[in-house]
């Protein structure tokens, strides 16, 4: 009975993952799928959206949204947390200011696997490739925010968005007080996701428990099939880094 109750949820989640993959590469159809889910529709880009902040999971999404809201208030609508490249394409069609987040693939995939243990490393790397390959044609319509930069100086990244799109978003200042507020907001978003409890494997901030689990998973990324796809992911990661504006 224990084996069945363990295997079935894993099988169901992997099936959902493989069903979602082609959808997450298909504009318009993906939009329609998001609209029928109230929680997803709430953060789907619309014409009055102030900014779209989007990226592969574990790439600084929640921190970036929290930092933006601390600097600019919670009133502006932010397109966020849908983790599908068609969201980036939709933002481009609507002409919205857009920030695409990206993290070194090995780190991003390991962190994602801790969050979603039902997937294989190969599944997670393919999802990374799907996102950034699908978003690439819209590269002239977004600013790239590398993970290390958004987590260390999100204010500078927001200035780059302002320069690119002619916006006037207030700059996030990473004072100790603001950093504490940002991580408190990150934890609040996690509680909303989990039903009230902060779950260390899910919360979008540094976690000793998640670091330990990532070390345990590290060797799985070196299996030949996964390592080959990871090299592809590294290549596209560096292509995106070339798009990221230099900080003076």
């Amino acid at each position: 009975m224990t084996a069945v109750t363990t295997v079935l949820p894993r099988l169901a989640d992997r099936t959902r993952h493989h069903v979602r993959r082609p959808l997450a590469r298909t504009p318009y159809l993906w939009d329609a799928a998001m609209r029928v889910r109230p929680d997803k529709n709430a953060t789907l880009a619309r014409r009055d959206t102030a900014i779209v902040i989007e990226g592969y999971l574990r790439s600084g999404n929640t921190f970036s949204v929290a930092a933006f809201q601390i600097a600019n208030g919670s009133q502006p609508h932010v397109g966020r947390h849908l983790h599908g490249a068609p969201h980036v394409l939709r933002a481009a069609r609507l002409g919205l200011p857009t920030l695409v987040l990206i993290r070194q693939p090995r780190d991003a995939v390991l962190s994602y696997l801790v969050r979603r243990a039902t997937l294989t490393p190969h599944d997670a790397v393919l999802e990374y490739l799907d996102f950034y390959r699908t978003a690439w044609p819209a590269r002239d319509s977004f600013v790239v925010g590398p993970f290390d930069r958004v987590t260390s100086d999100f204010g500078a990244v927001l200035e780059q968005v302002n320069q690119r799109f002619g916006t006037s978003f207030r700059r996030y200042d990473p004072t100790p007080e603001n950093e504490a507020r940002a991580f408190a907001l990150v934890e609040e978003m996690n509680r909303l996701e989990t039903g009230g409890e902060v779950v260390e494997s899910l919360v979008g901030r540094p976690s000793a428990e998640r670091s330990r689990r990532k070390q345990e998973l590290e060797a799985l990324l070196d299996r030949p099939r996964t390592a080959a796809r990871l090299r592809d992911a590294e290549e596209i990661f560096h292509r995106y880094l070339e798009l990221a504006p230099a900080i003076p």
Side-chain angles (χ1 to χ4, degrees):
M1 184 67 176
T2 303
V4 172
T5 57
T6 301
V7 170
L8 286 181
R10 180 184 179 90
L11 180 61
D13 191 53
R14 286 202 69 207
T15 300
R16 184 170 71 88
H17 165 80
H18 288 292
V19 169
R20 184 184 185 276
R21 276 196 65 208
L23 184 66
R25 300 192 298 267
T26 311
Y28 300 103
L29 182 60
W30 183 91
D31 295 4
M34 295 301 103
R35 285 198 188 97
V36 300
R37 297 179 58 181
D39 59 327
K40 303 296 184 184
N41 189 51
T43 60
L44 180 66
R46 59 199 196 205
R47 294 195 180 278
D48 66 340
T49 293
I51 187 172
V52 173
I53 301 175
E54 195 58 88
Y56 180 80
L57 284 100
R58 318 312 296 178
S59 298
N61 292 271
T62 305
F63 176 80
S64 295
V65 171
F68 178 86
Q69 291 184 342
I70 286 169
N72 293 276
S74 59
Q75 189 63 33
H77 183 260
V78 180
R80 60 180 177 86
H81 282 114
L82 298 183
H83 308 299
H87 199 197
V88 177
L89 304 182
R90 175 179 174 82
R93 293 195 305 272
L94 293 174
L96 300 172
T98 304
L99 174 63
V100 170
L101 308 174
I102 192 165
R103 185 178 185 180
Q104 195 275 340
R106 192 177 191 92
D107 291 342
V109 165
L110 285 170
S111 189
Y112 185 26
L113 290 171
V114 172
R115 175 188 173 91
R116 197 173 175 187
T118 53
L119 298 186
T120 68
H122 192 254
D123 291 336
V125 177
L126 288 180
E127 191 169 331
Y128 185 102
L129 287 168
D130 284 348
F131 185 99
Y132 294 106
R133 283 173 172 169
T134 303
W136 183 254
R139 60 191 176 276
D140 292 334
S141 300
F142 56 73
V143 168
V144 174
F147 177 81
D148 291 345
R149 192 175 296 174
V150 300
T151 55
S152 63
D153 194 357
F154 185 75
V157 174
L158 210 48
E159 282 295 328
Q160 292 168 346
V161 172
N162 284 338
Q163 292 171 16
R164 169 65 179 79
F165 294 100
T167 47
S168 54
F169 298 127
R170 289 190 293 274
R171 184 184 178 111
Y172 172 77
D173 186 8
T175 62
E177 180 185 4
N178 280 345
E179 293 285 274
R181 291 175 62 200
F183 285 122
L185 187 52
V186 166
E187 290 192 355
E188 179 59 27
M189 291 182 193
N190 181 242
R191 288 190 185 95
L192 291 173
E193 179 184 0
T194 61
E197 181 182 359
V198 173
V199 178
E200 290 299 319
S201 63
L202 301 181
V203 65
R205 56 152 170 74
S207 163
E209 170 63 18
R210 197 160 59 245
S211 295
R212 183 187 65 78
R213 285 287 296 123
K214 285 164 67 175
Q215 290 178 352
E216 295 172 355
L217 292 165
E218 183 86 30
L220 298 179
L221 295 184
D222 296 326
R223 292 176 176 175
R225 187 174 72 140
T226 303
R229 298 289 74 77
L230 197 59
R231 288 192 292 273
D232 294 338
E234 286 283 355
E235 180 181 345
I236 199 164
F237 170 69
H238 287 290
R239 289 166 65 190
Y240 271 79
L241 284 189
E242 291 175 0
L243 298 178
I247 293 180

